[in-house]
Amino acid sequence: AQKTIPTAVKYVNQPSAYTPDDDNITISPEEVKILGSTGSNENRYLVQTIDFREISNIKNVFEFTSEETQSNDKLIDEIESFTVTIDFSHLSSKRFNPAECTMVSVGEDDGYEYSLDFSNAENKEITVIGPRESLSLLSEKDIQIEINTDALTKARSGGQVVEISNISIQSEQKNDCWIYGTYTATLIATPKE
C-alpha cells in the first residue's frame, strides 16, 4: 500500500512565536510517497530537526540527503535530497557585548572568582535575531550567559577555552527573539584572596 504524506521539519531552541508550519518555510518536495503499512500512523514525513541557533535573518537554505532524514517511513519516490528554506529576511539582528551581559555560573568552587574572555573567540559579540521593535527593547542585562565551571580544570593557570552551551534571553522578548550562532570563550578562574 502506498501513501502520500506531506514533508515536515521539527525545531529546537525556537521562540514560542514560531512554528514549523509558518508561512515562511518551504520544503521541497512538499509531499512524498511512502510504503504505507497498516501500522504506519505517521501523517508527516520528518525530514530533519533544525536548530534555531543556525537560523539567521536571511533566507536560510538547508539541504538534507534522503539518508539524513529522521523519518522511519520507507520512501517509494527516488528522492536524493530535500531542500528546506526558512525565510526570516524580514527580521533584524542586534549584537551584544558579552562582558555587559548577565553571567550565571553552575558548579563553581567558592574559593574562585570566574570570568569569561571573548577577545580570542570567533564570535566576539552575541547576536540576537528578531523583529526590530522587540530587539530595541533588549539590553545586555537581558542576555544571560550560563557557564559550567565544572568543566574547568583547576590545575591550569590562565584560562581554558570552553563552549558556552546555554545563552538565553531573560525578558518578554524571548517569545519572538533568539540567540544566533555558537560561542566559545576563555574561562578564567582566579583564586579569591
Side-chain angles (χ1 to χ4, degrees), residues 1-36:
Q2 293 184 11
K3 191 163 137 186
T4 302
I5 56 173
T7 51
V9 293
K10 246 175 31 185
Y11 283 151
V12 289
N13 296 317
Q14 92 268 25
S16 58
Y18 308 104
T19 71
D21 296 332
D22 291 341
D23 292 341
N24 65 330
I25 180 168
T26 56
I27 304 171
S28 174
E30 286 180 25
E31 294 183 330
V32 290
K33 275 198 195 100
I34 58 161
L35 213 52

Side-chain angles (χ1 to χ4, degrees), residues 95-167:
R95 295 175 185 277
F96 295 90
N97 176 357
E100 307 289 315
C101 294
T102 306
M103 296 276 179
V104 178
S105 45
V106 178
E108 73 251 34
D109 182 322
D110 289 339
Y112 288 84
E113 297 230 331
Y114 297 95
S115 62
L116 282 178
D117 178 8
F118 280 81
S119 61
N120 294 326
E122 187 182 330
N123 290 327
K124 292 177 181 27
E125 295 177 299
I126 292 168
T127 303
V128 178
I129 309 287
R132 181 165 294 157
E133 306 76 54
S134 297
L135 291 174
S136 69
L137 299 171
L138 287 176
S139 75
E140 263 83 2
K141 295 288 169 241
D142 297 316
I143 310 298
Q144 181 176 296
I145 301 172
E146 188 181 294
I147 51 173
N148 182 357
T149 54
D150 279 344
L152 189 65
T153 315
K154 298 277 189 309
R156 292 183 57 176
S157 58
Q160 183 174 332
V161 174
V162 292
E163 190 173 321
I164 299 161
S165 55
N166 197 359
I167 303 175

Side-chain angles (χ1 to χ4, degrees), residues 7-27 44-56 58-62 64 70 83-91 175 178:
T7 51
V9 293
K10 246 175 31 185
Y11 283 151
V12 289
N13 296 317
Q14 92 268 25
S16 58
Y18 308 104
T19 71
D21 296 332
D22 291 341
D23 292 341
N24 65 330
I25 180 168
T26 56
I27 304 171
R44 298 174 149 223
Y45 186 85
L46 181 58
V47 175
Q48 193 53 263
T49 300
I50 295 178
D51 190 337
F52 249 70
R53 287 185 281 209
E54 296 173 18
I55 300 176
S56 184
I58 58 170
K59 198 175 222 181
N60 301 268
V61 180
F62 299 92
F64 301 106
Q70 293 179 318
T83 305
V84 178
T85 306
I86 302 169
D87 188 355
F88 276 125
S89 54
H90 61 288
L91 296 179
N175 66 349
W178 69 92

